[in-house]
């Protein structure tokens, strides 16, 4: 016993306790230090990512502003003007891609990505992709082939068609971008679903199947140490990639998120200098098998307009967009009225019950297009309202329809698509 009246055993046990506490404090300190380093690393990657995005936006902007300036040069030949306009269009399209990617990634990050499951004909989709990209691949002097072993009756999946389309488009675009010569092949097949360790997946209904897609190229390939990183969102921007043509490095991370949302897997097999094959799978859900899939057919532009006596209201606060729509719909109209706010849209419709068509911008000052539509519907159920929405998110269409619109068109507006919608709604 010592002077504080504690036995030797008690002292040893206290000492052990103190040592334990000390150890756990040490552990906590190390954990905090690791978290701090990780947070700093994340910050650094996000900054690198933002710098990359900023560069990606500035590059097409440079093309747009530069060539718009050049267009003003007096005495330019018609041919040169057309050439400059083509460059501006291309740069605009590239910019739009980047903006779409940023919107998608932030919706994925915030968990707000909607999934729109409907019956989709996979064969038709992949065939469409093949037809769409064939001229571009062949234009680069390469071969493009398409292997399909999916029987027609197995081709109808319950999935999100737009997301499947986005994944395939992204993989094919990459294959084109990172391949200089040789060939690109796309394909789809039905296979036995594999579990995490490669064993067949068996459910109550028996062995389950999945649809496997692939996009194969004979391009630059990807070194083994980068094959996981290319699917990560912030990491990619940080990789020094001397071969990178252009791009914000978001495409594959978006594709991965989409594949996983839809219940599949995505991976790559690649050899540097030889080429890459990207694979992804989707669960083979075909409860509602259909023999023909008319509703999945892609629409073709309408050639001529037979309607020319409409009274049209353009509700649009942006002057350039308003000008574009006015010019586009002129052939349908006997009278075109343009206003800038949602409140005005409601007033003008109240005073002009003979208006046939409203092209309703959604993002307007004072009152947005959804609210304006709801108010107009209280006194006029007959006029046709087409919403024009700049957010580019899936679910827009549903919101517009719920507010009382007859149809919806995404901005930037594709003139052919708008004219086709008007033709359809008035025929
Ligand atoms: P981006 O192409 O815009 O950089 P992605 O996320 O689509 O972004 O691709 C990430 C990276 O993966 C690319 O920068 C490229 O290094 C690599 N990569 C993707 N597809 C291929 C391919 N088919 N062949 C070689 N490398 C590829």
């Amino acid at each position: 016993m010592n002077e504080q009246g504690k036995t030797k055993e008690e002292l040893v046990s206290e000492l052990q306790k103190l040592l334990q506490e000390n150890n756990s404090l040490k552990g906590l300190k190390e954990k905090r230090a690791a978290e701090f380093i990780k947070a700093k690393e994340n910050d650094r990657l996000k900054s690198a990512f933002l710098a990359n995005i900023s560069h990606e936006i500035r590059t097409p902007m440079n093309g747009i502003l530069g060539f718009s300036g050049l267009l003003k040069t007096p005495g330019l030949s018609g041919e040169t003007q057309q050439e400059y306009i083509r460059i501006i269009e291309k740069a605009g399209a590239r910019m739009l891609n980047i903006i779409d990617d940023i919107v998608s990634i932030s919706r994925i990050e915030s968990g707000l990505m909607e999934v729109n499951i409907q019956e989709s004909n996979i064969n038709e989709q992949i065939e469409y992709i093949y037809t769409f990209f064939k001229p571009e691949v062949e234009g680069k002097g390469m071969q493009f082939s398409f292997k399909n072993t999916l029987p027609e009756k197995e081709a109808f999946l319950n999935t999100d068609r737009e997301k499947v389309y986005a994944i395939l488009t992204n993989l094919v675009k990459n294959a084109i971008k990172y391949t200089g010569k040789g060939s690109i092949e796309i394909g789809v097949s039905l296979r036995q679903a594999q579990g995490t360790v490669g064993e067949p997946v068996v459910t109550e209904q028996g062995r389950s199947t999945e649809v496997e897609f692939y996009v194969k190229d004979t391009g630059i390939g990807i070194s083994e140490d980068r094959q996981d990183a290319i699917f990560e969102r912030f990491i990619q921007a940080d990789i020094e990639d001397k071969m990178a043509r252009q791009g914000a490095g978001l495409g594959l991370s978006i594709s991965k998120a989409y594949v996983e949302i839809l219940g599949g897997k995505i991976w790559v097999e690649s050899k540097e200098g030889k080429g890459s094959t990207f694979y992804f799978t989707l669960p083979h859900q075909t409860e509602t098998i259909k023999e023909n899939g008319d509703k999945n057919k892609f629409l073709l532009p309408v050639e001529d307009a037979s309607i020319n006596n409409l009274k049209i209201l353009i509700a649009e606060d942006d002057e350039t967009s308003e000008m574009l729509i006015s010019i586009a719909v002129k052939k349908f109209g006997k009278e075109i009225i343009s206003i800038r706010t949602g409140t005005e849209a409601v007033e003008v419709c109240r005073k002009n019950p003979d208006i046939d068509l409203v092209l309703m911008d959604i993002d307007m000052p004072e009152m947005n297009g959804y609210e304006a539509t709801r108010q107009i519907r209280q006194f006029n159920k007959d006029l046709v309202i087409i919403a024009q929405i700049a957010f580019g998110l899936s679910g827009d269409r549903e919101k517009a329809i719920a507010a009382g619109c007859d149809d919806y068109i995404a901005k930037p507006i594709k003139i052919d698509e708008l004219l086709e919608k008007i033709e359809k709604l008035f025929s």
Side-chain angles (χ1 to χ4, degrees), residues 52 56 101 170-171 174-179 215 217 219-222 226 229-232 236 239 241 243-255 268 270 275-278:
N52 193 24
E56 280 304 312
D101 279 359
N170 181 44
L171 295 182
N174 275 351
I176 300 173
K177 191 154 81 170
Y178 297 103
T179 309
V215 177
D217 66 56
I220 60 171
I222 303 154
R226 292 190 58 212
I230 55 169
F231 293 101
E232 300 294 324
Q236 169 55 23
I239 293 173
D241 187 359
M243 295 300 283
R245 307 328 202 228
Q246 54 169 253
L250 288 177
L252 283 179
S253 51
I254 293 171
S255 300
V268 64
S270 181
S276 319
T277 309
F278 283 84

